[in-house]
Amino acid sequence: MKAVGVVVEYNPFHNGHHYHIKQSKKKTDADVVVAVMSGHFLQRGEPALVDKWHRARMALLSGVDIVIELPYAFATSKAEQFAKGAIQLLTAMKCETFAFGSEDGNIEPFNNTYSLLHDYRTEYEELIKYFVTKGNSYPKSLFEAYEQLKQKRPQLYIDLSQPNNILGYHYIEAVHKINSSIKPVTIQRIQAGFHDDISLDSTIASATGIRKALFEDGELKRINDYVPNTSFEQLIQWEKSHRQFVHWEAFWPLLRYTISRYLPKDLTQFADVSEGIEFALVKYAKVSNSFTEFMNHIKSKRYTWTRLQRMLTHIFTGVTKEQLHKFDSPTYIRLLGMTGIGQQYLGEKKKEFDLPLISRVAQTKDELLQIDLRTTEIYAQGIQLFSNKKIDGDFQTPPIRI
Amino acid sequence: MKAVGVVVEYNPFHNGHHYHIKQSKKKTDADVVVAVMSGHFLQRGEPALVDKWHRARMALLSGVDIVIELPYAFATSKAEQFAKGAIQLLTAMKCETFAFGSEDGNIEPFNNTYSLLHDYRTEYEELIKYFVTKGNSYPKSLFEAYEQLKQKRPQLYIDLSQPNNILGYHYIEAVHKINSSIKPVTIQRIQAGFHDDISLDSTIASATGIRKALFEDGELKRINDYVPNTSFEQLIQWEKSHRQFVHWEAFWPLLRYTISRYLPKDLTQFADVSEGIEFALVKYAKVSNSFTEFMNHIKSKRYTWTRLQRMLTHIFTGVTKEQLHKFDSPTYIRLLGMTGIGQQYLGEKKKEFDLPLISRVAQTKDELLQIDLRTTEIYAQGIQLFSNKKIDGDFQTPPIRI
């Protein structure tokens, strides 16, 4: 059996994801789709809309055969670490191919950019230094250096100012770095851009657009057209059980309390908290009665929204810099769910896997897994604050079978 | 003007406190009563029933003339540190006398016990060692050593197994240690013991008994007979504004979340957390849906209820061992409120005070004060969780004037 891997958040699963899966399978002629999915905290520094069990179920009901969890330490890190963890897991699971979405569906520019930056590494670094010394900001210097480097070898290259392209680049880089035999392909994304709102004349919207519609309109039926029916049912079920979808706003009393508990200097133990932002965090947590109010106080040119949210995620979960950055690679394959075909694949290939497959979680000494368990508990307590129900925990929940 | 000092928590202010103030003034012939009162977290490791402003107002309406705050680092510490901070503050405020409650109202046994343990210090320590080597527990060895030492000099001594006597002993010890000119006197307590329930045929009940009645019966009027009317009005006002009185149970979602955020080993940065209790804390926080359930899980012969609550207080407020234990003495006199007579006393004596008098709080570099401000903020957020109203903060609130 041949497997194609995808790297996902499914927050929530929507028609665009469904399309990507179908195309990935077709393009790679795979029998099985393996999704590496983030758990309860996502790469943009946000808690997931619904828990990982509901999101895994959505995926399994719409074409994914196996869902495994990308550990927190990778799922909430910068693109480079995120991509590396995901590619390592797919490689460990013996996926032959790996498919990611891109604007034009052509893998060549990705490969070209990787080779260029790899072959001219020293020159690239010197160019960056040169532009920095000339007084440019670091991002601006990166851009200029890249522009200049491209002249050396005229080919098709990717635009590195696009978030999706940066992630794609890091996938390719990870494949090379870990010497993976996995073959990357890219599937052209249809219609919706990364941050687009949902529109009336389409059934495709970005997850960001869908979340926006959900929170602004507050009505689930508003997004019915943009997600598969099976996903919609999962969302209905969640809303029935837990009253509302998860958003930073709902966790604000806990996050605010946590920030207020620290002396500013002690907040620098968390990833990305430095350069004085710790003083603003403590100062404005006290006076802000909502997450939005807080973010409006602390945002500035210096810090992107994502960077701020990511540092808040780590403060919220209590995962320190030291804990977050100690892992070079995943140490396990955490199975969240599978279809019949997925189960068949696992039966056939499990013995060849490079990492242990964990179906049921028990007390563990694995520090990477401990973080996952801890962050599930924190997410669950956050939900209990507004809903009377606790979500299923890691210890009690067996892998979903569809 | 002559001032007598008292050390109090007023949680809440009741008829026994009222009696104590009247007697103290009478016995010492003082013009002014100065109360050093704990802020929002108390010596038994509990959050105060109502905020410090309401408690200060109760005191000022019932005979106290000046209320100053015992800083958190002293108010939530063991008896020795608690007593020392309080005596230092009263001494700094030039109180001539200091009055504490005791069972028989006789200061001699306190002085005798202090002199005995001071004069025979080496022998005492050797006796303790001896009893420990013979296989006795440490508290048992302390008791046996004291019993034996008493034979050396037959006099009236206090019973050191009584919590109130231990506190009284430490007051006397503090007076000697800091070489204070303050003169300690003791007032006989009437009726209610330390932990007694409230009874039908009396108007005196302990604060513990009153709190118990309040939480078990849930009806404020149940305690009407045991507190002055002016105090009762403050309690009614609080209940109207904040729906309920403060109890660990109300803070449980925050406390639980905080414990769950830590790896067990990282909890040992808080005072008293050691010897493996950190594992029990993390383990049982996850499975306990109430504070009571949690305490029932973690309590054992090894840890007294008070010791457990005190460690939970520090975890809750985020005050580490290092922060808590760095202060040898208070660095300021924080004025919470005063009567006209109190104001007159301050006007007359302020210049002689050994510490700066703080009436209005501003941003500060004083680390002891920073802790007080932080713990008020945490207490306020805990209250906001169940009440929509925030309590008055340290920055916005001027001293109460009656």
Side-chain angles (χ1 to χ4, degrees):
Chain A
M1 289 175 98
K2 274 169 61 180
V4 58
V6 294
V7 182
V8 303
E9 294 191 326
Y10 293 158
N11 190 40
F13 191 94
H14 59 59
N15 293 342
H17 295 131
H18 189 212
Y19 172 84
H20 179 74
I21 290 165
K22 279 189 300 183
Q23 294 301 314
S24 300
K25 220 168 156 182
K26 201 164 143 191
K27 192 161 181 172
T28 62
D29 200 25
D31 310 296
V32 177
V33 178
V34 176
V36 178
M37 189 182 81
S38 304
H40 294 123
F41 294 92
L42 307 178
Q43 220 249 330
R44 297 184 59 209
E46 289 176 340
L49 208 57
V50 300
D51 72 17
K52 61 188 178 189
W53 313 111
H54 281 75
R55 281 156 46 236
R57 197 174 286 273
M58 290 182 208
L60 295 169
L61 290 167
S62 289
V64 171
D65 298 297
I66 298 172
V67 181
I68 61 167
E69 182 171 353
L70 183 63
Y72 176 96
F74 296 91
T76 61
S77 281
K78 288 175 187 157
E80 188 177 348
Q81 175 83 344
F82 176 93
K84 198 175 149 208
I87 295 296
Q88 282 171 318
L89 280 172
L90 294 175
T91 304
M93 288 183 76
K94 305 298 169 194
C95 295
E96 290 196 358
T97 53
F98 156 68
F100 64 97
S102 66
E103 300 316 320
D104 68 355
N106 183 4
I107 196 77
E108 276 319 298
F110 287 94
N111 287 330
N112 293 343
T113 293
Y114 172 75
S115 298
L116 181 78
L117 296 187
H118 185 257
D119 297 348
Y120 293 96
R121 193 186 173 133
T122 321
E123 288 88 337
Y124 184 45
E125 281 165 6
E126 274 165 12
L127 277 169
I128 296 168
K129 253 186 237 162
Y130 168 76
F131 285 111
V132 167
T133 357
K134 275 190 70 183
N136 295 281
S137 72
Y138 190 72
K140 173 83 177 158
S141 302
L142 278 179
F143 175 80
E144 294 292 349
Y146 180 48
E147 288 305 303
Q148 199 143 324
L149 215 57
K150 287 196 280 189
Q151 312 305 323
K152 298 217 178 228
R153 195 198 271 168
Q155 276 179 316
L156 276 181
Y157 292 109
I158 52 169
D159 172 1
L160 276 180
S161 66
Q162 297 291 322
N164 269 323
N165 283 344
I166 294 176
L167 201 52
Y169 171 79
H170 285 295
Y171 289 136
I172 305 293
E173 184 192 50
V175 169
H176 283 93
K177 268 196 180 164
I178 65 164
N179 222 343
S180 169
S181 60
I182 206 167
K183 188 179 165 252
V185 301
T186 182
I187 308 293
Q188 187 168 23
R189 295 160 65 95
I190 44 169
Q191 291 155 303
F194 194 59
H195 287 293
D196 293 351
D197 291 344
I198 70 177
S199 67
L200 290 171
D201 56 354
S202 160
T203 59
I204 300 287
S206 71
T208 306
I210 289 173
R211 290 196 300 276
K212 203 174 152 196
L214 204 57
F215 287 113
E216 285 178 4
D217 303 352
E219 272 209 80
L220 191 49
K221 67 171 186 236
R222 174 92 171 80
I223 65 162
N224 202 346
D225 290 346
Y226 304 92
V227 302
N229 282 336
T230 45
S231 295
F232 195 66
E233 274 161 29
Q234 288 300 307
L235 294 171
I236 289 177
Q237 224 181 68
W238 175 274
E239 203 185 31
K240 266 193 197 152
S241 294
H242 301 287
R243 297 188 200 165
Q244 65 177 78
F245 296 100
V246 180
H247 187 280
W248 266 130
E249 215 55 85
F251 288 175
W252 178 238
L254 297 181
L255 177 60
R256 175 190 198 180
Y257 156 67
T258 289
I259 296 170
S260 307
R261 253 180 100 251
Y262 284 96
L263 293 178
K265 72 173 168 55
D266 293 330
L267 280 175
T268 59
Q269 70 186 288
F270 298 102
D272 269 336
V273 182
S274 61
E275 305 166 2
I277 185 78
E278 60 273 20
F279 295 98
L281 296 180
V282 170
K283 179 176 173 190
Y284 291 112
K286 285 179 194 151
V287 299
S288 301
N289 279 310
S290 72
F291 181 76
T292 311
E293 202 184 323
F294 179 64
M295 286 297 278
N296 284 330
H297 276 305
I298 62 169
K299 76 175 178 203
S300 69
K301 272 189 196 158
R302 191 162 184 179
Y303 297 94
T304 64
W305 192 271
T306 298
R307 188 172 163 202
L308 288 172
Q309 287 199 143
R310 221 184 272 150
M311 67 176 84
L312 294 174
T313 298
H314 301 312
I315 293 172
F316 183 65
T317 57
V319 178
T320 61
K321 247 173 227 178
E322 193 202 335
Q323 289 166 15
L324 190 71
H325 294 153
K326 78 194 294 183
F327 307 100
D328 193 51
S329 18
T331 47
Y332 51 87
I333 297 163
R334 173 75 198 284
L335 181 65
L336 294 180
M338 59 196 160
T339 59
I341 297 167
Q343 193 168 5
Q344 217 179 308
Y345 179 81
L346 292 178
E348 194 178 292
K349 299 274 188 175
K350 204 162 61 177
K351 279 180 220 139
E352 300 169 35
F353 284 2
D354 300 325
L355 292 170
L357 182 73
I358 301 181
S359 300
R360 293 294 296 245
V361 173
Q363 290 296 348
T364 176
K365 285 194 190 287
D366 185 308
E367 295 182 35
L368 185 66
L369 184 54
Q370 282 177 347
I371 293 179
D372 288 357
L373 305 181
R374 179 148 60 106
T375 55
T376 289
E377 175 63 27
I378 297 291
Y379 180 81
Q381 290 187 17
I383 289 168
Q384 216 181 353
L385 207 63
F386 60 79
S387 145
N388 281 328
K389 269 196 200 142
K390 222 178 165 180
I391 60 163
D392 293 334
D394 278 309
F395 292 108
Q396 305 86 2
T397 317
I400 295 162
R401 282 156 196 266
I402 300 286
Chain B
M1 289 174 97
K2 274 171 59 180
V4 58
V6 293
V7 182
V8 303
E9 293 191 326
Y10 292 158
N11 190 39
F13 190 94
H14 58 59
N15 293 341
H17 295 132
H18 189 213
Y19 173 84
H20 179 74
I21 290 166
K22 279 189 302 185
Q23 294 302 314
S24 300
K25 221 169 154 180
K26 202 165 145 189
K27 193 160 183 174
T28 62
D29 199 26
D31 311 296
V32 178
V33 178
V34 176
V36 178
M37 188 182 82
S38 304
H40 294 124
F41 294 91
L42 309 176
Q43 219 249 331
R44 297 183 60 211
E46 287 176 340
L49 208 55
V50 301
D51 71 18
K52 59 189 179 189
W53 312 112
H54 282 76
R55 281 156 45 235
R57 196 174 288 272
M58 289 183 209
L60 295 169
L61 290 166
S62 289
V64 170
D65 297 298
I66 297 172
V67 181
I68 60 167
E69 182 171 353
L70 183 63
Y72 175 97
F74 296 91
T76 60
S77 281
K78 287 174 187 157
E80 188 178 348
Q81 175 82 346
F82 176 93
K84 196 174 151 210
I87 295 296
Q88 282 171 319
L89 280 173
L90 293 175
T91 304
M93 289 183 75
K94 304 297 168 194
C95 294
E96 291 197 356
T97 53
F98 156 67
F100 65 96
S102 66
E103 299 316 319
D104 68 356
N106 183 4
I107 196 76
E108 276 320 296
F110 286 94
N111 287 330
N112 293 342
T113 293
Y114 173 76
S115 299
L116 181 78
L117 296 187
H118 186 255
D119 297 349
Y120 293 96
R121 194 189 170 128
T122 322
E123 288 87 336
Y124 184 44
E125 281 165 6
E126 273 164 12
L127 277 169
I128 296 168
K129 254 187 236 161
Y130 167 76
F131 285 110
V132 167
T133 358
K134 275 190 69 183
N136 295 282
S137 73
Y138 190 74
K140 174 82 177 158
S141 302
L142 278 179
F143 176 81
E144 294 292 350
Y146 180 48
E147 287 306 301
Q148 199 143 325
L149 214 58
K150 286 196 283 189
Q151 311 305 324
K152 298 218 175 227
R153 194 197 272 169
Q155 276 179 316
L156 275 181
Y157 291 109
I158 52 169
D159 172 2
L160 276 181
S161 67
Q162 297 292 323
N164 269 323
N165 284 344
I166 293 177
L167 201 51
Y169 171 79
H170 284 295
Y171 288 136
I172 306 294
E173 185 192 49
V175 170
H176 284 92
K177 268 197 180 165
I178 66 164
N179 221 344
S180 170
S181 61
I182 207 166
K183 186 179 166 251
V185 302
T186 182
I187 308 293
Q188 187 168 21
R189 295 160 65 94
I190 44 168
Q191 291 155 303
F194 193 59
H195 287 294
D196 292 353
D197 289 344
I198 70 178
S199 67
L200 290 171
D201 55 355
S202 159
T203 59
I204 300 287
S206 71
T208 306
I210 289 174
R211 289 196 300 277
K212 203 175 151 194
L214 204 57
F215 287 114
E216 284 178 6
D217 303 354
E219 272 209 81
L220 192 49
K221 65 171 189 240
R222 176 92 171 80
I223 66 163
N224 202 346
D225 290 347
Y226 306 92
V227 302
N229 282 336
T230 46
S231 295
F232 195 65
E233 275 162 29
Q234 288 301 306
L235 294 172
I236 288 177
Q237 223 181 69
W238 174 275
E239 203 185 32
K240 266 193 195 150
S241 294
H242 300 289
R243 297 187 199 164
Q244 66 177 77
F245 296 100
V246 180
H247 186 280
W248 266 130
E249 215 54 85
F251 289 175
W252 177 237
L254 296 182
L255 176 59
R256 175 192 198 181
Y257 157 66
T258 290
I259 296 170
S260 307
R261 253 180 99 252
Y262 283 97
L263 292 179
K265 74 173 168 55
D266 293 331
L267 281 173
T268 59
Q269 70 186 288
F270 298 101
D272 270 335
V273 182
S274 62
E275 304 166 4
I277 185 77
E278 61 270 21
F279 294 99
L281 297 181
V282 171
K283 180 176 173 188
Y284 292 112
K286 285 179 195 151
V287 299
S288 301
N289 280 311
S290 73
F291 181 75
T292 311
E293 201 184 323
F294 179 64
M295 286 297 279
N296 285 330
H297 276 303
I298 62 169
K299 75 176 180 203
S300 69
K301 271 189 196 157
R302 192 163 185 178
Y303 298 94
T304 63
W305 192 271
T306 297
R307 187 172 164 201
L308 288 172
Q309 287 200 142
R310 221 183 273 148
M311 67 176 85
L312 294 174
T313 297
H314 301 313
I315 293 172
F316 183 65
T317 57
V319 178
T320 61
K321 246 173 227 175
E322 194 202 335
Q323 289 166 15
L324 190 72
H325 294 152
K326 76 194 296 182
F327 306 100
D328 193 52
S329 19
T331 46
Y332 51 86
I333 298 163
R334 173 76 198 283
L335 180 65
L336 294 182
M338 58 197 162
T339 60
I341 297 167
Q343 194 169 4
Q344 219 179 307
Y345 179 81
L346 292 178
E348 193 178 293
K349 299 273 188 177
K350 203 163 61 175
K351 279 181 221 136
E352 300 169 34
F353 285 2
D354 301 325
L355 292 171
L357 182 72
I358 300 182
S359 300
R360 293 294 297 246
V361 173
Q363 289 297 346
T364 178
K365 285 195 190 288
D366 184 308
E367 294 183 34
L368 186 65
L369 183 54
Q370 281 178 348
I371 293 180
D372 288 356
L373 304 181
R374 180 148 59 106
T375 55
T376 289
E377 174 64 27
I378 297 291
Y379 180 81
Q381 289 187 18
I383 289 168
Q384 215 180 356
L385 207 63
F386 60 79
S387 144
N388 281 329
K389 269 194 200 143
K390 224 178 162 179
I391 60 163
D392 292 334
D394 279 306
F395 292 107
Q396 306 85 1
T397 317
I400 295 162
R401 281 155 195 268
I402 299 287

